[in-house]
């Protein structure tokens, strides 16, 4: 079963980047990624967010109140 994301950070670590992903239980996964890999992740996130932006079920209650 998938765990909920609690937080994540990205830091520069030499020529690569270090990504820390923390789950709801406080367990942290540490990954290294190149600039190119982070760019691919960014593009994928943008595509998913753009596609899902029109889905009212995905909007936070705070966003509904602001509109």
């Amino acid at each position: 079963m998938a765990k909920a994301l609690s937080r994540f950070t990205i830091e520069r670590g030499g020529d690569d980047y270090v990504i820390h992903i923390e789950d709801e239980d406080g367990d942290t996964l540490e990954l290294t990624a190149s600039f190119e890999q982070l760019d691919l992740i960014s593009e994928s996130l943008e595509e998913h967010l753009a596609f899902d932006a029109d889905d009212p079920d995905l909007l936070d209650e705070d966003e509904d109140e602001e509109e």
Side-chain angles (χ1 to χ4, degrees):
M1 181 172 179
K3 295 183 180 183
L5 175 67
S6 176
R7 69 181 181 155
F8 74 95
T9 60
I10 301 172
E11 300 171 356
R12 186 85 187 259
D15 291 336
D16 290 328
Y17 295 85
V18 180
I19 304 168
H20 292 95
I21 301 172
E22 185 177 324
D23 69 21
E24 61 193 337
D25 296 330
D27 296 327
T28 302
L29 175 63
E30 182 178 284
L31 304 166
T32 58
S34 67
F35 176 86
E36 291 80 14
Q37 290 170 317
L38 282 182
D39 192 43
L40 289 172
I41 292 169
S42 174
E43 288 175 11
S44 180
L45 285 170
E46 288 177 10
E47 288 174 15
H48 283 278
L49 291 174
F51 179 77
D52 292 341
D54 295 329
D55 188 341
D57 293 333
L58 296 177
L59 294 176
D60 289 338
E61 289 178 15
D62 293 339
E63 290 179 1
D64 288 339
E65 293 172 4
E66 291 176 9
E67 291 180 1

